């Protein structure tokens, strides 16, 4: 009998007896299975069984690794982590596909979500703030896929981002002026480009007497500021009830006397209420948006607004009147996240809005664009 089959038999026996994995219960299960094992083997089995029922099991050491932002499981044999330098394959392996499936289902249950063949994917937040996404096999290949996004364990200041190379002297100075001017802006970039990190650093620069109201799908922004209140969306429960959307919360936030309205990530119908709010006296509002470049930003807003029921012309009209500028981040091949461009919005004769580069930033260089004068006018 193999070690794997012994483990599975003990697991089933303990489950049938509703017993916890202790040295005594595991030793008794081994005797019942007519297996002889020393104390070292018993303790190893106890540790393995306990790891399956607590925390993230085999993934816990990876999640606790300093600097880790993501842990990705591609079936039982491929586990990756990202510590800011790109994906690294770890030495962690699962016994089999069933082990990955059990972990995914247990994590989903911790978040109060259902994950089974009838509902084969889940997107949820765990109690410690870790973002869970999982898709069960056979929909997923090469096996059940688990993605864990680790919340930031610390916030960075603009000075620290500058020291890390994400900001130049010029970009740091410009960003401080952006915050002080109460300009409305969005931080854009691809996944893992550092949008949330930069936005938190910028919010830490806001006058301590101002009230920040932050709306998020899952809590990630933790700015170092004395007056921050947050609202977090909630998915429907297993009965399909209790859904609270980001759009619902944006409307509530407007009644909470925000000095700065912040939407952690603009990616749905909330774009309608956000643009309307920023166009009716709520200065200094901001958020993040997935976009590959500044030139793509109007198209992203257009797609979101039209999907939410706004005519294309209305989206561009609101966008041009609501937002002042875009701060775009890129992630280099070396893993360094940096501010690459600051752009402003420009309205064409047909009423459509486009993004115009105001300041393009590289390592040790900067280049002023067509919108530089407009940027200076906005941030004073």
């Amino acid at each position: 009998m193999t070690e794997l089959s012994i483990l599975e038999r003990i697991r089933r026996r303990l489950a049938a007896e509703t017993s916890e994995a202790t040295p005594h219960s595991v030793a008794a299960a081994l005797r019942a299975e007519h297996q002889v094992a020393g104390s070292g083997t018993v303790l190893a089995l106890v540790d393995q069984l306990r790891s399956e029922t607590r925390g993230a099991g085999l993934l816990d050491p990876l999640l606790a690794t300093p600097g880790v932002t993501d842990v990705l499981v591609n079936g039982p044999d491929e586990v990756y982590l990202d510590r800011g330098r790109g994906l690294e394959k770890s030495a962690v392996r699962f016994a089999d596909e069933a082990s990955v499936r059990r972990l995914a289902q247990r994590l989903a249950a911790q978040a109060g979500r259902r994950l089974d063949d009838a509902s084969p994917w889940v997107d949820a937040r765990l109690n410690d703030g870790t973002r869970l996404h999982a898709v069960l096999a056979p929909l997923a290949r090469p096996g059940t896929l688990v993605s864990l996004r680790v919340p930031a364990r610390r916030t960075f200041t603009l000075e620290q981002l500058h020291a890390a190379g994400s900001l130049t002297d010029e970009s740091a100075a410009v960003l401080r002026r952006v915050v002080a001017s109460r300009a409305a802006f969005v931080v854009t970039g691809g996944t893992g480009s550092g949008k949330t990190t930069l936005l938190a650093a910028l919010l830490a620069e806001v006058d301590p007497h101002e009230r920040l109201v932050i709306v998020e799908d899952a809590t990630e922004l933790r700015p170092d500021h004395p007056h921050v209140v947050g609202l977090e969306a909630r998915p429907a429960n297993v009965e399909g009830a209790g859904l609270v959307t980001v759009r619902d919360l944006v409307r509530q936030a407007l009644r909470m006397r925000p000095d700065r309205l912040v939407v952690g990530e603009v990616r749905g119908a909330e774009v309608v209420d956000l643009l309307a709010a920023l166009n009716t006296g709520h200065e200094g509002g901001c958020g993040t948006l997935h976009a590959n470049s500044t030139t793509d930003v109007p198209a992203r807003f257009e797609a979101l607004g039209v999907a939410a029921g706004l005519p294309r012309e209305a989206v561009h009209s609101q966008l041009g009147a609501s937002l002042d500028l875009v701060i775009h981040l890129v992630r280099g091949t070396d893993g360094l996240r940096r501010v690459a461009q600051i752009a402003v919005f420009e309205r064409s004769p047909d009423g459509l809005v486009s993004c115009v580069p105001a300041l393009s930033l590289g390592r040790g260089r900067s280049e002023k664009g067509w919108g530089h004068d407009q940027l200076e006018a906005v941030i004073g």
Side-chain angles (χ1 to χ4, degrees):
M1 186 180 295
T2 67
E3 181 180 352
L4 179 59
S5 62
I6 291 173
L7 179 65
E8 182 61 30
R9 284 173 174 267
I10 293 174
R11 182 187 295 117
R12 292 178 179 179
R13 183 174 289 277
L14 293 180
E17 297 173 355
T18 62
S19 300
E20 292 187 9
T22 64
H24 177 75
S25 63
V26 170
L30 282 169
R31 289 193 298 271
E33 294 292 334
H34 307 291
Q35 298 295 314
V36 178
S39 59
T41 300
V42 171
L43 292 176
L45 290 171
V46 170
D47 288 341
Q48 187 165 353
L49 289 166
R50 284 180 174 176
S51 74
E52 295 180 354
T53 58
R54 298 179 182 178
L58 296 177
L59 303 182
D60 274 335
L62 300 183
L63 294 171
T65 301
V68 72
T69 60
D70 296 88
V71 174
L72 309 174
V73 180
N74 303 345
D77 299 321
E78 297 182 8
V79 180
Y80 294 83
L81 73 158
D82 187 345
R83 288 182 281 189
R85 301 187 296 268
L87 292 177
E88 309 169 39
K89 192 170 184 178
S90 78
V92 174
R93 299 289 183 275
F94 287 84
D96 50 24
E97 162 60 25
S99 299
V100 185
R101 184 184 180 99
R102 281 195 300 270
L103 172 64
Q105 291 178 316
R106 180 165 56 79
L107 292 176
Q110 289 177 12
R113 304 295 300 279
R114 172 183 175 183
L115 183 63
D116 53 30
D117 289 335
S119 182
W121 57 75
V122 68
D123 186 9
R125 186 177 68 86
L126 304 181
N127 291 334
D128 65 354
T130 299
R131 186 66 178 266
L132 163 71
H133 185 270
V135 183
L136 297 180
L139 270 67
R141 298 192 307 271
T144 293
L145 305 181
V146 180
S147 304
L148 295 169
R149 168 63 62 88
V150 181
R153 296 185 176 94
R154 55 172 293 193
T155 57
F156 290 84
T157 64
L158 289 185
E159 288 85 0
Q160 290 169 330
L161 293 179
H162 176 267
S166 295
L167 303 176
T168 64
D169 291 341
E170 185 174 10
S171 62
V174 170
L175 292 180
R176 286 191 174 90
R177 293 170 62 193
V178 167
V179 175
S181 69
R182 296 183 59 80
F185 64 89
V186 287
V187 179
T188 64
T191 300
S193 58
K195 299 184 296 297
T196 300
T197 299
L198 177 61
L199 182 55
L202 292 173
L203 293 175
E205 296 287 323
V206 172
D207 189 305
H209 296 97
E210 294 186 28
R211 173 180 169 91
L212 308 181
V213 181
I214 301 176
V215 178
E216 294 180 272
D217 185 51
T219 300
E220 293 182 312
L221 277 170
R222 294 177 173 85
D224 184 13
H225 189 277
H227 197 159
V228 179
V229 295
L231 300 173
E232 182 180 34
R234 183 178 66 195
N237 59 24
V238 292
E239 287 82 21
L243 174 66
V244 178
T245 67
V246 173
R247 185 173 190 181
D248 296 328
L249 296 180
V250 169
R251 293 172 179 171
Q252 300 309 310
L254 295 177
R255 297 171 174 83
M256 297 171 64
R257 197 222 170 263
D259 288 308
R260 306 258 184 166
L261 174 61
V262 183
V263 177
E265 182 181 345
V266 182
R267 61 177 180 177
E270 66 274 3
V271 68
V272 175
D273 301 282
L274 175 64
L275 291 177
L278 298 181
N279 198 24
T280 54
H282 292 275
E283 296 180 342
C286 53
T288 72
L289 179 80
H290 279 274
N292 294 325
S293 67
T294 56
T295 57
D296 293 336
V297 171
R300 287 281 291 129
F301 272 102
E302 180 182 315
L304 295 173
V306 170
L310 275 183
R312 182 190 186 201
E313 296 77 12
V315 174
H316 281 265
S317 177
Q318 293 259 31
L319 180 59
S322 303
L323 287 172
D324 296 307
L325 52 92
V326 176
I327 303 165
H328 188 69
L329 289 156
V330 297
R331 180 174 181 172
T333 55
D334 57 358
L336 179 65
R337 304 166 176 90
R338 61 182 179 83
V339 175
Q341 192 175 80
I342 299 175
V344 294
F345 293 97
E346 184 178 82
R347 195 191 303 269
S348 61
D350 61 4
L352 299 183
V353 170
S354 60
C355 258
V356 178
L359 189 63
S360 298
L361 302 150
R363 295 179 179 176
R365 64 172 181 83
S366 65
E367 180 180 342
K368 295 178 181 179
W370 296 337
H372 188 264
D373 289 343
Q374 184 178 335
L375 172 64
E376 287 294 322
V378 168
I379 65 177

